[in-house]
Amino acid sequence: MDSTHIFVTGGVVSSLGKGIIAASIGKLLQARGYQVTIQKFDPYINIDPGTLNPYEHGECYVTDDGMETDLDLGHYERFTGIRTTRHNSVTTGRIYKAVIDRERRGDYLGKTIQVVPHITDEIKRRMLRNASSADFVITEVGGTIGDIESAPFMEAIRQLRQELGSRAVCVHLTYVPYLKAAGELKTKPTQHSVKELQGMGIQPDILVLRTEHHLDDALRSKVASFCNVELECVVQSEDMPSIYEVPVSMQRQGLDAAILRKAGIPVGETPAMQPWRDFLAKQRSATATLAIGLVGKYDLQDAYKSIRESLSLAGTYCGVRVQPCFVNSEELTPENVGERLAGMAGVIVCPGFGPRGVAGKVLAAEWCRTHDVPAFGICLGMQMMVVEFARNVLGYAGADSSEMNPATPHPVIDLMAEQMGVTQKGGTMRLGAYECELAEGSRVSEAYGGASLVSERHRHRYEFNNAYRAAFEAAGMKCVGINPASDLVEVVEVAGLRWYVGTQFHPEYGSTVLRPHPLFMSFVRASAGS
Ligand code: GLN
């Protein structure tokens, strides 16, 4: 069958959860046996979010093939288990760069390059590019209808609808606010948002109304009639205790069935989604809470999104409700570290860049090591575990990462050789999946079920300095994960403690709802004392 394209747009305000709706649609269609792919088109001009501060854009998610992408790709992968690639993430910057490179090469000789058709053609080409192996291509467009930046994407969607006919389905997500003083839910913003879309030549097929209160049939009918959408195609996305409840709620309201009908595909039986429902049942029944400290410098939910989700998923499978507690590493001092980490069953020392807040990460690592609190250092977190061990166990005064102190007498973490000539900041780190050989009998190998070779994703420029390896190993910090091609240290652990592991890679990018990550499982289990 030729692919059907589902476009997901948003109106009224941002942060409505378009990514969750796109991922839920993907999950529901997969459950019906279809091959699905999901992609995100972001209207900003950066080539990728790799150079953005998490305060601007939340976490930067990394694909297997080393693309730094929007965090929505993390939702796509966690919901559907699909491995995305660099083709699943596109920005205005990438579109323009491709067109401008072509212009310089002379591909358009004699022609004036314009937004329509050149930019819109490039958007369309990329929207269609992932179709070959998929029955459904879900395309989420970032931003909100009416933004100046998103106009070329809307024009591309308008043209594709024209070209693809029923093989293009438009899902528009809006917000229905509740006015407390009036005691009423208001549909006007939705009506305006749909008018705006219609003004761009796009009639939405399906409306998803985001709301904090249940919407009754009368209200849905009103929206349907004002917006020219069938009543069964108006569904609501109420606040849920967990984002993983959303696919089931959407299925109950027939969102996937509505999409199939619009695409002219027989609807068939409603799939049971049993594994997913089993997961939800486990999640609902887990009542005991487990406080896990997240030691980092970004006090923002989205900054460590994949770590939080990985903890929550692993917690569900371990029968506990993980309570991630942000601990600002910039505020940690030798005097208060014990008090700030008191009550934490385990601690994650978070990834990051630059010297701000690293002293606190070193203190947290020391506290956990000397008080036998389960600790998991990820990327910069692992590097700070190494620095702490060098200073306090090996007695290397002033030991550091050369990222933080280029003049350190003991650069136990040092710039990778391949990074030395790098001058551009964007897209030049060691990115994506690399292999890691695990030492037999190590805690991590055991966590991975006895595996000797795994593959995990990376995002870093600095590495463990192998000149110090023997000294670390002799003192008890073992290098138990090594990249076979480059000999780069991927995992360190201190044996004899309950759980003290640092990984240069980012296991948090590898968790999915139906397959929680083994390292997070092992860490949560150790933290829960089971
Ligand atoms: N800043 C460190 C490096 O570049 C760690 C990066 C990270 O935590 N993602 O190696």
Side-chain angles (χ1 to χ4, degrees):
M1 121 182 172
D2 281 332
S3 312
T4 296
H5 291 261
I6 302 167
F7 299 100
V8 181
T9 57
V12 185
V13 287
S14 57
S15 302
L16 291 178
K18 271 199 312 272
I20 305 291
I21 294 296
S24 299
I25 293 172
K27 180 73 220 167
L28 292 176
L29 292 169
Q30 266 184 338
R32 289 177 178 272
Y34 294 111
Q35 288 295 325
V36 174
T37 186
I38 315 189
Q39 52 190 359
K40 175 94 190 259
F41 281 63
D42 271 308
Y44 54 76
I45 294 170
N46 304 59
I47 294 288
D48 58 50
T51 54
L52 290 177
N53 185 311
Y55 280 122
E56 296 267 321
H57 202 257
E59 158 187 290
C60 177
Y61 190 75
V62 179
T63 60
D64 269 341
D65 67 345
M67 182 77 195
E68 296 172 287
T69 74
D70 186 78
L71 58 77
D72 274 325
L73 271 81
H75 292 309
Y76 304 165
E77 293 203 4
R78 284 188 289 274
F79 275 61
T80 64
I82 293 169
R83 292 293 180 102
T84 57
T85 72
R86 57 186 57 247
H87 293 325
N88 296 68
S89 173
V90 176
T91 65
T92 291
R94 285 181 82 189
I95 302 278
Y96 270 79
K97 186 163 188 315
V99 172
I100 291 170
D101 285 350
R102 242 178 257 144
E103 185 273 338
R104 291 290 79 184
R105 220 168 42 220
D107 291 8
Y108 306 108
L109 276 187
K111 290 269 180 295
T112 306
I113 312 303
Q114 296 182 296
V115 173
V116 182
H118 300 98
I119 295 299
T120 47
D121 279 354
E122 180 61 15
I123 295 174
K124 281 162 58 182
R125 190 180 74 77
R126 288 176 184 244
M127 283 178 167
L128 297 176
R129 176 169 65 173
N130 284 324
S132 57
S133 58
D135 302 315
F136 287 92
V137 179
I138 302 166
T139 302
E140 178 191 349
V141 179
T144 309
I145 291 298
D147 293 346
I148 291 176
E149 298 96 315
S150 62
F153 294 94
M154 296 305 136
E155 171 59 14
I157 293 176
R158 186 194 68 77
Q159 292 181 20
L160 284 176
R161 291 206 78 186
Q162 191 79 356
E163 291 162 26
L164 297 169
S166 67
R167 290 199 295 114
V169 178
C170 290
V171 178
H172 188 55
L173 186 67
T174 73
Y175 182 52
V176 177
Y178 176 75
L179 289 189
K180 215 156 75 185
E184 273 181 65
L185 286 152
K186 292 294 184 188
T187 63
K188 195 67 89 190
T190 295
Q191 295 177 39
H192 279 302
S193 177
V194 172
K195 277 219 176 72
E196 183 119 32
L197 203 52
Q198 289 165 339
M200 294 173 154
I202 302 170
Q203 168 61 46
D205 297 296
I206 292 168
L207 293 177
V208 178
L209 309 179
R210 188 79 179 77
T211 171
E212 281 146 46
H213 296 263
H214 185 76
L215 309 178
D216 62 19
D217 289 350
L219 190 139
R220 284 178 44 245
S221 300
K222 183 174 163 187
V223 170
S225 108
F226 275 118
C227 299
N228 282 336
V229 174
E230 291 165 29
L231 179 59
E232 309 79 74
C233 293
V234 181
V235 302
Q236 57 187 304
S237 173
E238 284 180 84
D239 281 357
M240 294 276 157
S242 146
I243 54 173
Y244 303 113
E245 301 273 356
V246 175
V248 172
S249 162
M250 291 300 127
Q251 189 190 48
R252 203 182 308 120
Q253 297 178 72
L255 174 60
D256 51 341
I259 289 171
L260 291 170
R261 268 201 313 279
K262 285 286 164 194
I265 297 169
V267 175
E269 301 260 305
T270 304
M273 303 250 295
Q274 206 49 51
W276 193 274
R277 284 178 198 275
D278 291 345
F279 165 82
L280 292 180
K282 278 199 196 87
Q283 194 180 49
R284 291 183 205 123
S285 66
T287 47
T289 59
L290 187 75
I292 299 288
L294 295 187
V295 178
K297 63 181 170 185
Y298 297 111
D299 189 3
L300 176 84
Q301 287 269 340
D302 279 353
Y304 307 112
K305 189 76 186 160
S306 294
I307 292 179
R308 286 172 181 268
E309 295 305 322
S310 296
L311 285 170
S312 150
L313 296 171
T316 294
Y317 284 94
C318 295
V320 294
R321 200 171 279 267
V322 172
Q323 194 113 55
C325 308
F326 175 70
V327 178
N328 192 335
S329 61
E330 284 186 90
E331 292 172 4
L332 288 181
T333 63
E335 293 72 39
N336 71 14
V337 61
E339 170 210 330
R340 295 284 170 97
L341 296 182
M344 302 300 165
V347 168
I348 302 249
V349 189
C350 291
F353 294 86
R356 190 163 62 81
V358 291
K361 289 184 175 172
V362 173
L363 285 172
E366 179 184 8
W367 175 267
C368 292
R369 187 179 54 76
T370 53
H371 293 77
D372 202 6
V373 177
F376 193 173
I378 299 178
C379 205
L380 181 62
M382 168 269 199
Q383 296 176 356
M384 292 305 113
M385 280 178 158
V386 168
V387 166
E388 188 278 321
F389 198 87
R391 290 181 191 168
N392 299 327
V393 179
L394 296 172
Y396 296 162
D400 215 330
S401 160
S402 52
E403 178 183 6
M404 313 306 161
N405 177 11
T408 172
H410 294 290
V412 289
I413 301 292
D414 207 0
L415 192 64
M416 282 182 273
E418 68 196 50
Q419 289 287 326
M420 301 224 175
V422 170
T423 50
Q424 301 233 44
K425 289 268 188 273
T428 53
M429 282 187 253
R430 178 172 180 252
L431 291 165
Y434 286 90
E435 285 187 335
C436 169
E437 231 161 43
L438 301 173
E440 216 182 300
S442 62
R443 183 177 287 280
V444 276
S445 154
E446 183 194 316
Y448 278 101
S452 55
L453 189 69
V454 295
S455 168
E456 296 282 0
R457 301 179 212 182
H458 298 74
R459 183 173 186 244
H460 64 120
R461 293 188 203 281
Y462 293 81
E463 65 176 333
F464 183 98
N465 184 343
N466 274 329
Y468 291 94
R469 195 143 128 197
F472 276 83
E473 299 232 318
M477 182 173 263
K478 306 281 182 198
C479 300
V480 292
I482 305 290
N483 174 267
S486 64
D487 205 30
L488 182 143
V489 172
E490 297 278 8
V491 189
V492 295
E493 68 179 40
V494 176
L497 293 174
R498 283 168 63 202
W499 212 93
Y500 197 85
V501 173
T503 61
Q504 185 56 74
F505 53 72
H506 291 261
E508 71 273 25
Y509 298 139
S511 298
T512 72
V513 172
L514 298 182
R515 280 165 50 112
H517 194 284
L519 283 183
F520 280 92
M521 289 288 287
S522 174
F523 168 66
V524 168
R525 224 179 264 129
S527 303
S530 50

